[in-house]
Amino acid sequence: MLLKMYLPIFLLLYLMVAFVLPSWRVYKSTGINPVTFKNTGNAHDYIGAVMKVLIGLLVVAVLFFSFSPYLYQYLVPIRYFESQLVKAIGLVLIHLSLIWLMIAQYQMHQSWRIGIDEVNKTELVTHGLFSRSRNPIFLGMIGSVAGLFLILPNALLFAVAVTTYIVIQVQIRLEEQFLMNMHGAAYQRYKQKVRRMI
């Protein structure tokens, strides 16, 4: 019962911390809208649209679990993974991932963007968590979705977790090409020293 009340609150907090607050902070300090996805239909913007759908499906899964056991059954729970130990691992993972995300976003400062900003030049961030992973925010997002699947193992969240991983890997490669074009040799040296994920 406690988990049913806590998960919607956590998910709201997560969305605020992962997307809303850092976007508001960057906009307030720079006047730049950090959300760069548009509706042009190119690969970058298509990924943005898919990410919105994936977030929506996460919300649906949590709301069904918390408020409608009947509807939750339609998400096809995977009974094999349902255990207190697996749930505990998932809970630890979502909280560690949230803390990781908060630190990485703080370290990005004004360079924080949702998507690729081709208009405003940003600094190449290589310190803190970025000295261990070239994509710590994406790593935190993958950990969060994986953790949520462990807490609520069902077919929908399994599909969301796999799709999230694939979409993030594609987005990373688009961003790598962009950063190479923007920062040149500095980014090439950074790539040689720091791994893509961890």
Side-chain angles (χ1 to χ4, degrees):
M1 186 64 181
L2 186 62
L3 189 60
K4 288 188 175 188
M5 291 189 303
Y6 180 68
L7 276 184
I9 295 168
F10 176 84
L11 188 58
L12 178 62
L13 174 68
Y14 179 88
L15 292 175
M16 290 293 291
V17 168
F19 301 108
V20 177
L21 293 178
S23 297
W24 176 78
R25 176 180 48 82
V26 168
Y27 181 75
K28 185 179 176 188
S29 60
T30 66
I32 296 168
N33 181 0
V35 181
T36 65
F37 291 116
K38 307 226 177 349
N39 293 316
T40 65
N42 64 23
H44 171 258
D45 294 335
Y46 180 76
I47 285 174
V50 171
M51 286 182 174
K52 288 178 189 173
V53 171
L54 293 173
I55 291 169
L57 292 174
L58 287 175
V59 171
V60 166
V62 168
L63 293 179
F64 280 14
F65 169 75
S66 294
F67 300 109
S68 179
Y70 172 76
L71 290 176
Y72 183 72
Q73 295 308 308
Y74 284 98
L75 303 186
V76 191
I78 304 171
R79 305 291 179 204
Y80 180 77
F81 286 106
E82 290 182 349
S83 76
Q84 292 305 311
L85 176 61
V86 172
K87 269 189 181 34
I89 293 170
L91 283 164
V92 169
L93 187 54
I94 64 171
H95 289 90
L96 289 178
S97 294
L98 180 59
I99 293 167
W100 177 272
L101 268 171
M102 291 169 64
I103 294 169
Q105 287 169 339
Y106 176 77
Q107 290 171 345
M108 282 196 81
H109 296 291
Q110 272 72 31
S111 293
W112 159 255
R113 296 292 186 274
I114 298 177
I116 297 171
D117 187 348
E118 297 181 344
V119 177
N120 305 287
K121 185 168 183 177
T122 56
E123 292 181 25
L124 180 62
V125 180
T126 60
H127 63 279
L129 295 181
F130 291 85
S131 67
R132 302 290 178 205
S133 168
R134 297 201 310 266
N135 298 280
I137 292 174
F138 284 137
L139 182 60
M141 291 170 66
I142 291 169
S144 300
V145 176
L148 194 55
F149 167 72
L150 294 178
I151 297 167
L152 303 178
N154 61 66
L156 176 65
L157 284 183
F158 178 76
V160 168
V162 171
T163 306
T164 297
Y165 180 81
I166 293 168
V167 167
I168 283 176
Q169 290 297 329
V170 173
Q171 180 66 16
I172 284 172
R173 283 154 178 80
L174 289 174
E175 291 187 8
E176 285 179 345
Q177 185 59 54
F178 172 76
L179 291 169
M180 182 66 76
N181 293 339
M182 177 180 280
H183 297 288
Y187 187 69
Q188 183 62 41
R189 289 192 298 271
Y190 178 53
K191 276 181 70 174
Q192 290 169 349
K193 289 195 306 183
V194 180
R195 294 172 66 89
R196 178 176 281 140
M197 296 307 284
I198 198 162

